[in-house]
Amino acid sequence: GAVVSQHPSRVICKSGTSVKIECRSLDFQATTMFWYRQFPKQSLMLMATSNEGSKATYEQGVEKDKFLINHASLTLSTLTVTSAHPEDSSFYICSAGIYYEQYFGPGTRLTVT
Amino acid sequence: GESVGLHLPTLSVQEGDNSIINCAYSNSASDYFIWYKQESGKGPQFIIDIRSNMDKRQGQRVTVLLNKTVKHLSLQIAATQPGDSAVYFCAENNYGQNFVFGPGTRLSVLP
């Protein structure tokens, strides 16, 4: 079956630093990847839609200069949280796929101290 | 910053009983729906899907019912087991765009 990986699975960084999260589709090519954020006891909220070779489309309220998305190939998208603050601490999940068939990664737990 | 946390609805069922988890979706134009299971610290795991031209679909121990008139989706789990304990999300999709997730329900299986 289709597998999506995320790296790292957990990361702790200091306030003011940047951290990069990778999302890879391991055995298929994904035209579109989505980035979600999930706070404790809440649902997944879409942050941005990433299409290979073009600029990401951000949801309202998501700062594109803070959450940099690069979709360099059909198997890799990266999310960089710049100048991280404690309120950015969350569970970040990506999904990859084609049309309705979206496969979710295992998530990355970001803790900003 | 982090918004005020919502309290996840919780459904507690006895092991072996049937569970019914409900979801109201928002977009009458949504044409595809999925139920996901999410265990603590993990990504969503696909359970079952249904297209808008159907009102019922069955899988192994799970059944999804769709009522488009009232925009309601339900997930029925037969003979609930301890391993079914998790948070369950419904998600709707509108012609291949991103999935929009419901608020989630925590299922707790009692021994």
Side-chain angles (χ1 to χ4, degrees):
Chain A
V3 178
V4 175
S5 70
Q6 282 185 240
H7 178 79
S9 57
R10 291 176 178 270
V11 58
I12 300 173
C13 70
K14 293 190 175 183
S15 188
T17 62
S18 296
V19 61
K20 180 185 287 188
I21 302 169
E22 292 186 350
C23 176
R24 291 182 185 272
S25 55
L26 298 185
D27 49 3
F28 68 99
Q29 293 184 327
T31 54
T32 305
M33 290 184 175
F34 298 97
W35 286 97
Y36 297 83
R37 180 168 52 186
Q38 185 177 32
F39 290 114
K41 298 184 179 180
Q42 293 191 31
S43 188
L44 285 75
M45 296 299 295
L46 181 69
M47 299 176 67
T49 302
S50 169
N51 292 300
E52 184 265 340
S54 62
K55 289 184 179 180
T57 302
Y58 290 82
E59 294 299 297
Q60 191 173 9
V62 178
E63 300 174 58
K64 62 179 181 181
D65 294 330
K66 180 170 182 62
F67 298 99
L68 301 178
I69 292 173
N70 186 316
H71 196 151
S73 74
L74 288 171
T75 59
L76 173 64
S77 176
T78 60
L79 168 68
T80 301
V81 183
T82 62
S83 187
H85 290 286
E87 56 263 36
D88 298 324
S89 298
S90 187
F91 194 50
Y92 292 87
I93 303 172
C94 71
S95 72
I98 300 172
Y99 208 58
Y100 289 128
E101 293 192 34
Q102 288 291 317
Y103 303 95
F104 284 85
T108 296
R109 172 75 61 194
L110 170 64
T111 303
V112 184
T113 61
Chain B
E2 184 172 345
S3 57
V4 175
L6 301 171
H7 291 286
L8 277 176
T10 299
L11 174 67
S12 297
V13 298
Q14 212 70 38
E15 181 178 353
D17 287 352
N18 297 335
S19 304
I20 299 177
I21 301 171
N22 296 303
C23 175
Y25 63 93
S26 58
N27 188 351
S28 57
S30 291
D31 64 335
Y32 181 61
F33 306 87
I34 294 182
W35 277 100
Y36 287 99
K37 173 185 180 182
Q38 187 179 29
E39 296 174 311
S40 182
K42 297 183 179 180
Q45 175 188 351
F46 174 94
I47 301 174
I48 191 168
D49 61 355
I50 188 168
R51 295 194 180 275
S52 59
N53 60 353
M54 304 172 68
D55 52 24
K56 181 179 180 179
R57 190 153 190 247
Q58 287 184 289
Q60 188 175 17
R61 276 203 311 122
V62 293
T63 300
V64 54
L65 299 178
L66 173 63
N67 185 332
K68 295 183 289 295
T69 303
V70 295
K71 293 190 288 186
H72 183 268
L73 203 64
S74 69
L75 175 70
Q76 300 176 3
I77 305 174
T80 313
Q81 302 169 359
D84 295 326
S85 292
V87 177
Y88 289 81
F89 294 98
C90 67
E92 58 185 301
N93 194 296
N94 181 9
Y95 289 97
Q97 299 180 54
N98 63 284
F99 282 95
V100 176
F101 285 78
T105 296
R106 180 176 301 282
L107 176 64
S108 179
V109 181
L110 307 173

XYZ file of all heavy atoms in Angstrom, chain A residues 10 34 36 38-46 49 59 87 89 91 93 99-102 104-107 109, chain B residues 1-6 8 31-32 34 36 38 41-44 51 89 93 95-99 101-103:
453
model
N 9.682 13.467 16.101
C 9.606 14.395 17.225
C 10.773 15.357 17.133
O 11.875 14.969 16.745
C 9.717 13.664 18.570
C 8.552 12.804 18.935
C 8.810 12.067 20.237
N 7.671 11.250 20.631
C 6.680 11.676 21.392
N 6.709 12.903 21.861
N 5.683 10.885 21.707
N -0.720 17.885 1.352
C -1.389 18.803 2.251
C -0.676 18.799 3.603
O -0.223 17.758 4.070
C -2.852 18.388 2.468
C -3.680 18.392 1.211
C -3.894 17.218 0.504
C -4.260 19.556 0.754
C -4.671 17.215 -0.651
C -5.053 19.565 -0.390
C -5.245 18.389 -1.093
N -1.267 19.687 7.615
C -2.261 19.928 8.646
C -1.548 20.177 9.977
O -0.445 19.705 10.223
C -3.190 18.719 8.827
C -4.033 18.362 7.627
C -3.531 17.587 6.588
C -5.366 18.778 7.544
C -4.318 17.247 5.497
C -6.161 18.437 6.459
C -5.635 17.669 5.446
O -6.414 17.330 4.374
N -2.447 19.980 14.230
C -3.415 19.450 15.175
C -2.959 19.797 16.585
O -1.913 19.325 17.055
C -3.556 17.928 15.032
C -4.629 17.328 15.905
C -4.794 15.840 15.696
O -3.832 15.131 15.389
N -6.008 15.335 15.858
N -3.755 20.606 17.272
C -3.493 20.917 18.669
C -4.126 19.830 19.526
O -5.034 19.120 19.075
C -4.046 22.299 19.029
C -3.287 23.426 18.384
C -3.890 24.237 17.429
C -1.965 23.679 18.720
C -3.188 25.280 16.836
C -1.263 24.716 18.121
C -1.881 25.507 17.165
N -3.666 19.693 20.773
C -4.190 18.631 21.648
C -5.713 18.662 21.749
O -6.311 19.733 21.908
C -3.528 18.927 22.993
C -2.259 19.624 22.637
C -2.587 20.453 21.429
N -6.288 17.505 21.645
C -7.731 17.312 21.783
C -8.531 18.085 20.736
O -9.709 18.400 20.962
C -8.201 17.691 23.192
C -7.584 16.834 24.277
C -8.140 17.174 25.631
C -7.525 16.283 26.698
N -8.054 16.582 28.051
N -7.890 18.412 19.631
C -8.604 19.086 18.567
C -8.462 18.313 17.266
O -7.705 17.342 17.173
C -8.079 20.514 18.387
C -8.378 21.423 19.573
C -8.098 22.872 19.258
O -8.219 23.330 18.131
N -7.708 23.613 20.288
N -9.184 18.758 16.287
C -9.168 18.097 14.990
C -7.999 18.590 14.146
O -7.272 19.507 14.537
C -10.494 18.354 14.276
O -10.578 17.578 13.111
N -7.824 17.977 13.000
C -6.796 18.417 12.057
C -7.298 19.641 11.319
O -8.415 19.673 10.813
C -6.491 17.317 11.036
C -5.657 16.132 11.494
C -6.446 15.193 12.360
C -5.087 15.396 10.286
N -6.438 20.645 11.255
C -6.786 21.865 10.536
C -5.804 22.040 9.389
O -4.594 22.027 9.582
C -6.716 23.076 11.472
C -7.722 23.026 12.608
S -9.434 23.001 12.022
C -9.535 24.608 11.265
N -6.344 22.222 8.198
C -5.495 22.389 7.025
C -4.733 23.693 7.109
O -5.303 24.744 7.382
C -6.350 22.379 5.756
C -5.591 22.529 4.445
C -4.760 21.272 4.179
C -6.550 22.782 3.282
N -1.888 23.823 0.992
C -1.872 22.823 -0.075
C -0.620 23.043 -0.896
O -0.349 24.176 -1.339
C -3.117 22.979 -0.959
O -4.281 22.840 -0.150
C -3.129 21.931 -2.065
N -4.031 28.462 3.814
C -5.366 28.733 4.330
C -5.358 30.087 5.050
O -4.308 30.567 5.507
C -5.797 27.632 5.290
C -5.988 26.287 4.606
C -7.063 26.327 3.548
O -8.232 26.585 3.889
O -6.724 26.096 2.359
N 3.943 28.834 21.024
C 2.574 28.604 20.525
C 2.545 27.830 19.215
O 1.475 27.412 18.753
C 1.816 29.927 20.371
C 2.497 30.945 19.494
C 3.297 31.956 20.308
O 3.879 31.568 21.338
O 3.344 33.119 19.877
N 4.069 25.042 19.014
C 4.132 23.647 19.442
C 2.828 22.958 19.063
O 1.744 23.409 19.424
C 4.341 23.555 20.956
O 5.574 24.143 21.328
N 1.187 19.201 16.679
C 1.403 17.967 15.916
C 1.158 18.323 14.459
O 0.071 18.785 14.104
C 0.422 16.900 16.416
C 0.711 15.497 15.987
C 1.971 14.944 16.138
C -0.285 14.711 15.440
C 2.240 13.643 15.755
C -0.036 13.399 15.057
C 1.226 12.865 15.211
N 0.934 17.177 10.555
C 0.681 15.969 9.766
C 0.595 16.347 8.299
O -0.055 17.335 7.938
C -0.648 15.307 10.195
C -0.635 14.990 11.690
C -0.912 14.033 9.397
C -1.979 14.515 12.215
N -5.932 13.154 -6.072
C -7.376 13.327 -6.018
C -7.924 12.839 -4.680
O -7.486 13.318 -3.647
C -8.011 12.608 -7.219
C -9.322 13.210 -7.668
C -9.414 14.538 -8.051
C -10.470 12.427 -7.745
C -10.616 15.076 -8.466
C -11.667 12.957 -8.176
C -11.748 14.278 -8.529
O -12.937 14.818 -8.940
N -8.840 11.900 -4.675
C -9.424 11.462 -3.418
C -8.496 10.594 -2.587
O -8.671 10.458 -1.383
C -10.682 10.624 -3.672
C -11.864 11.399 -4.164
C -12.544 11.001 -5.298
C -12.319 12.519 -3.478
C -13.651 11.696 -5.751
C -13.423 13.215 -3.916
C -14.089 12.807 -5.054
O -15.180 13.499 -5.489
N -7.550 9.979 -3.234
C -6.704 9.041 -2.508
C -5.584 9.766 -1.793
O -4.542 10.060 -2.364
C -6.140 8.005 -3.476
C -7.199 7.092 -4.040
C -6.604 5.902 -4.748
O -5.548 5.417 -4.315
O -7.186 5.467 -5.745
N -5.851 10.078 -0.555
C -4.873 10.773 0.269
C -4.376 9.824 1.353
O -5.168 9.159 2.020
C -5.503 12.002 0.918
C -5.780 13.133 -0.052
C -4.512 13.772 -0.564
O -3.575 14.015 0.184
N -4.464 14.045 -1.862
N -1.976 9.557 4.789
C -1.434 10.428 5.816
C -0.112 9.920 6.367
O 0.092 8.712 6.525
C -2.446 10.572 6.960
C -3.588 11.480 6.611
C -4.690 10.997 5.928
C -3.545 12.821 6.946
C -5.740 11.837 5.579
C -4.591 13.672 6.605
C -5.681 13.170 5.924
N 0.757 10.867 6.676
C 1.980 10.527 7.345
C 1.726 10.303 8.819
O 0.631 10.570 9.323
N 2.738 9.842 9.541
C 2.571 9.534 10.960
C 2.605 10.749 11.858
O 2.340 10.637 13.057
C 3.750 8.605 11.249
C 4.792 9.027 10.268
C 4.044 9.430 9.024
N 2.937 11.902 11.298
C 2.943 13.121 12.092
C 4.294 13.446 12.698
O 5.158 12.580 12.872
N 5.763 15.665 16.010
C 5.448 16.413 17.233
C 6.517 17.482 17.419
O 7.686 17.159 17.629
C 5.445 15.477 18.438
C 5.315 16.160 19.800
C 3.909 16.621 20.052
N 2.962 15.516 20.056
C 1.645 15.668 19.991
N 1.121 16.878 19.924
N 0.855 14.615 19.999
N -1.605 31.891 18.594
C -1.346 30.902 19.636
C -2.393 29.802 19.638
O -3.300 29.786 18.813
N -2.248 28.936 20.542
C -3.166 27.797 20.617
C -4.548 28.297 20.996
O -4.721 29.045 21.950
C -2.663 26.787 21.650
C -3.511 25.532 21.730
C -2.879 24.476 22.626
O -1.697 24.612 22.939
O -3.565 23.526 23.006
N -5.519 27.857 20.283
C -6.880 28.287 20.559
C -7.413 27.503 21.751
O -6.842 26.500 22.172
C -7.770 28.067 19.339
O -7.750 26.729 18.940
N -8.496 27.955 22.261
C -9.102 27.253 23.391
C -9.438 25.837 22.964
O -10.064 25.613 21.947
C -10.375 27.988 23.847
C -11.080 27.195 24.930
C -10.015 29.374 24.342
N -9.014 24.869 23.760
C -9.224 23.486 23.374
C -10.677 23.091 23.425
O -11.420 23.488 24.300
N -11.072 22.327 22.488
C -12.408 21.787 22.497
C -12.385 20.497 23.277
O -11.419 19.768 23.257
C -12.868 21.517 21.057
C -12.900 22.714 20.124
C -13.160 22.263 18.703
C -13.964 23.690 20.560
N -13.283 16.916 23.399
C -13.721 15.888 22.483
C -14.896 15.145 23.088
O -14.818 14.681 24.219
C -12.585 14.909 22.222
C -11.544 15.270 21.181
C -10.471 14.219 21.159
C -12.185 15.432 19.817
N -18.769 15.220 -1.855
C -19.191 14.028 -2.575
C -18.447 12.770 -2.147
O -18.654 11.693 -2.701
C -18.997 14.245 -4.084
C -17.550 14.440 -4.473
O -16.749 14.873 -3.622
O -17.211 14.159 -5.641
N -17.598 12.914 -1.142
C -16.820 11.755 -0.720
C -16.518 11.922 0.762
O -16.166 13.010 1.214
C -15.531 11.689 -1.530
C -14.620 10.530 -1.226
C -15.048 9.216 -1.401
C -13.327 10.748 -0.784
C -14.210 8.150 -1.143
C -12.481 9.694 -0.517
C -12.928 8.391 -0.703
O -12.095 7.343 -0.453
N -14.855 10.009 4.443
C -14.010 8.958 5.023
C -14.111 9.025 6.542
O -14.219 10.108 7.125
C -12.529 9.137 4.611
C -12.351 8.923 3.111
C -11.625 8.154 5.364
C -10.889 9.034 2.656
N -11.794 8.173 9.764
C -10.425 7.887 10.169
C -10.374 7.546 11.645
O -11.153 8.065 12.445
C -9.516 9.109 9.940
C -9.186 9.397 8.504
C -9.881 10.374 7.804
C -8.177 8.710 7.851
C -9.565 10.664 6.488
C -7.858 8.988 6.534
C -8.552 9.964 5.853
O -8.253 10.239 4.547
N -7.638 7.651 14.816
C -6.348 8.197 15.198
C -6.005 7.786 16.618
O -6.731 8.115 17.564
C -6.324 9.726 15.087
C -4.938 10.320 15.315
C -4.903 11.832 15.191
O -5.876 12.510 15.454
N -3.754 12.375 14.795
N -0.686 10.167 19.288
C 0.642 10.398 18.741
C 0.867 9.856 17.347
O 1.999 9.824 16.866
N -0.208 9.446 16.676
C -0.065 8.886 15.333
C -0.916 9.648 14.338
O -1.807 10.408 14.716
C -0.473 7.403 15.339
C 0.405 6.524 16.210
C -0.023 5.070 16.099
C 0.858 4.181 16.952
N 0.455 2.746 16.864
N -0.649 9.419 13.066
C -1.442 10.042 12.033
C -2.768 9.317 11.857
O -2.968 8.212 12.368
N -3.709 9.922 11.135
C -5.011 9.281 10.900
C -4.864 8.005 10.080
O -4.060 7.930 9.159
C -5.785 10.340 10.116
C -5.070 11.625 10.350
C -3.634 11.256 10.542
N -19.100 7.180 -0.979
C -19.355 8.264 -1.927
C -20.787 8.750 -1.757
O -21.646 8.046 -1.231
C -19.108 7.781 -3.353
C -17.655 7.437 -3.592
C -17.324 7.277 -5.062
N -15.915 6.935 -5.235
C -14.933 7.814 -5.283
N -15.201 9.103 -5.176
N -13.684 7.423 -5.441
N -12.452 10.405 13.494
C -12.805 11.618 12.758
C -13.538 11.252 11.484
O -13.136 10.331 10.774
C -11.553 12.398 12.349
C -10.771 12.979 13.485
C -9.655 12.325 13.985
C -11.141 14.194 14.041
C -8.921 12.870 15.023
C -10.414 14.744 15.079
C -9.303 14.069 15.579
N -14.892 15.524 1.538
C -14.094 15.997 0.418
C -15.033 16.442 -0.688
O -16.059 15.827 -0.941
C -13.174 14.882 -0.087
C -12.098 15.393 -1.013
O -12.363 15.893 -2.096
N -10.863 15.270 -0.582
N -14.901 16.970 -4.449
C -14.304 16.796 -5.773
C -12.784 16.892 -5.779
O -12.193 17.605 -6.576
C -14.919 17.805 -6.756
C -16.349 17.459 -7.077
C -17.388 18.083 -6.409
C -16.653 16.474 -8.006
C -18.711 17.735 -6.674
C -17.965 16.123 -8.286
C -18.989 16.761 -7.605
O -20.285 16.420 -7.870
N -12.160 16.144 -4.866
C -10.719 16.002 -4.920
C -9.924 17.116 -4.290
O -8.703 17.170 -4.456
N -10.565 17.995 -3.587
C -9.819 19.020 -2.856
C -9.373 18.434 -1.515
O -9.439 17.227 -1.309
C -10.708 20.244 -2.661
C -11.159 20.864 -3.981
C -12.031 22.079 -3.766
O -11.627 23.003 -3.066
N -13.202 22.091 -4.368
N -8.922 19.287 -0.612
C -8.456 18.769 0.664
C -9.615 18.206 1.479
O -10.767 18.570 1.301
C -7.769 19.848 1.480
C -8.739 20.975 1.833
O -9.059 21.803 1.003
N -9.225 20.978 3.076
N -9.282 17.314 2.403
C -10.279 16.793 3.317
C -10.522 17.807 4.434
O -9.602 18.425 4.941
C -9.812 15.474 3.914
C -9.977 14.314 2.974
C -8.932 13.885 2.173
C -11.197 13.665 2.877
C -9.095 12.829 1.286
C -11.374 12.599 1.995
C -10.321 12.186 1.203
N -11.929 17.941 8.188
C -12.159 17.005 9.268
C -13.203 17.507 10.246
O -13.273 18.695 10.561
C -10.847 16.758 10.030
C -9.888 15.873 9.305
C -9.123 16.360 8.256
C -9.770 14.540 9.646
C -8.249 15.537 7.572
C -8.892 13.707 8.963
C -8.140 14.206 7.932
N -14.004 16.591 10.763
C -14.922 16.901 11.840
C -14.165 17.021 13.147
O -12.955 16.794 13.199
N -14.851 17.353 14.232
C -14.179 17.612 15.511
C -13.646 16.376 16.201
O -12.795 16.485 17.076
C -15.277 18.272 16.348
C -16.548 17.787 15.754
C -16.288 17.637 14.283
